[in-house]
Amino acid sequence: MEKQLLSLSFDELAELLRSLGEPSYRAAQIFPQLHRGLSPSQMTNISAATAAAVESAVPWEFPEVRERLVSSVDGTVKYLLGLSDGNCIETVLMRYRHGNTVCVSSQVGCRMGCAFCASTIGGRLRDLCPGEILAQVIVAGRDCGGRVDNIVMMGIGEPLDNYDNVLKFLRLVNDPRGVNIGYRHISLSTCGHADGILRLAGEKLPITLSLSLHAHSDEVRSRIMPVNRKWNIDSVLRACRTYSEATGRRISFEYTLIDGRNCSAADAAALADLLNRYMRAGGRSYPIHVNLIPVNEVRESGLRPPDRRAVEVFRAELEKRGVRATVRRTLGPDIAASCGQLRRRAAEGRD
Ligand code: SAH
């Protein structure tokens, strides 16, 4: 049995209620309210006795908002959430013209060790359970009148390193009796866990896969992303092809631009050649898109973004070779909105 109520599927909740001697329609009364962030004891349509019985069988846990920062530049909201064991995670609500997007964390910390990323600095403390991932969507949803349009799994952690919990979360958040987000409105970002990508392909859920590529050669990629020593570029791009075949979805490639490391015009040409070789192979063409992200400076890493002109040259080189690319707008620059920075700051007791 799951360790908290928000992790239960509808059928598991129905089973729990049956075991407590409750009528079968109770699940339909309780499940939607849990997914609005209400504990059984806060629900007005069940008795106090039923609420108490449910909560003593499987506890109600919900994160506490420790900090809520709103960007004065673009309205991005960043939450530092305290979990029941005292650990902290981050969630971000981004307000785009085309809707509200919630960026969720999948682990407390991360063990992937990417050189540019703040989330990995203290390692991975533990995985999040499905309910802890779902609760992030509920917390952010309260700030936008419940109108969450998209979810990106791009917060702290490597989602495919916490596969079972992430998959259960995806099914929970898609449940029409709860938050009801369509799979096509969900993106999952991975550092290149090829086994996980292949497993996910087998689920045939039409979610968008984002691959954090960040380099066009194994030499450079292994230096900035240790995971590449386990699954190299070849194995990851093959897995992406399988994913695209299984789901029909376009793959998006994330490419962080780091001054002096991976963002010369020659790098752009080599990246385009690589993607054309793998994704336009053997008479087949797989839909792809490249997101360019000037690296966000993290104090500990010492890595810097290139200047704006170099970014534009890089993008133009890709486009010239038939690879569509956009430069990711940085949201919430005034609230440390990216990649584990707030959690680190809280851990160190800095302002
Ligand atoms: N573990 C997953 C998802 C979390 S990171 C993954 O690696 O994809 C989400 C994205 O932010 C990834 O593309 C990651 O490489 C990128 N990222 C991490 N730190 C960054 C930084 N300092 N600047 C820019 N992008 C960063």
Side-chain angles (χ1 to χ4, degrees), residues 116-117 154-155 157-158 189-191 212 214 254 256 295-296 298 339:
F116 42 81
C117 183
M154 290 190 183
E158 166 51 44
S189 182
T190 176
C191 63
S212 299
H214 304 328
E254 312 291 308
T256 296
V295 71
N296 228 294
V298 174
C339 318

Side-chain angles (χ1 to χ4, degrees), residues 128-247:
L128 296 183
C129 68
E132 288 171 327
I133 310 176
L134 180 62
Q136 300 172 58
V137 179
I138 299 170
V139 167
R142 284 181 179 157
D143 263 347
C144 54
R147 286 187 306 277
V148 174
D149 301 289
N150 304 291
I151 295 175
V152 294
M153 300 206 75
M154 290 190 183
I156 296 171
E158 166 51 44
L160 298 180
D161 189 38
N162 182 18
Y163 190 91
D164 293 336
N165 288 322
V166 164
L167 194 74
K168 189 161 188 195
F169 156 72
L170 293 171
R171 297 197 192 281
L172 282 174
V173 81
N174 176 248
D175 194 311
R177 295 159 291 200
V179 183
N180 191 19
I181 308 284
Y183 288 127
R184 285 166 198 283
H185 295 272
I186 302 177
S187 294
L188 182 147
S189 182
T190 176
C191 63
H193 191 302
D195 289 356
I197 295 172
L198 294 173
R199 213 173 144 195
L200 192 63
E203 317 280 353
K204 296 202 186 304
L205 305 176
I207 63 177
T208 301
L209 182 71
S210 285
L211 178 79
S212 299
L213 187 57
H214 304 328
H216 55 78
S217 73
D218 281 322
E219 195 207 331
V220 175
R221 193 164 193 270
S222 293
R223 217 178 304 138
I224 56 176
M225 302 179 74
V227 68
N228 195 67
R229 294 181 204 134
K230 178 153 182 162
W231 292 290
N232 65 11
I233 292 179
D234 177 69
S235 67
V236 170
L237 292 182
R238 283 172 191 276
C240 287
R241 250 170 12 200
T242 303
Y243 188 87
S244 181
E245 266 161 25
T247 61

Side-chain angles (χ1 to χ4, degrees), residues 323-346:
V323 174
R324 296 197 48 199
T326 42
V327 179
R328 169 89 52 87
R329 205 155 52 96
T330 308
L331 290 178
D334 52 336
I335 55 168
S338 42
C339 318
Q341 296 184 25
L342 191 60
R343 176 172 165 264
R344 280 209 58 68
R345 207 168 67 183

Side-chain angles (χ1 to χ4, degrees), residues 28 76 132 253:
T76 297
E132 288 171 327
F253 292 98

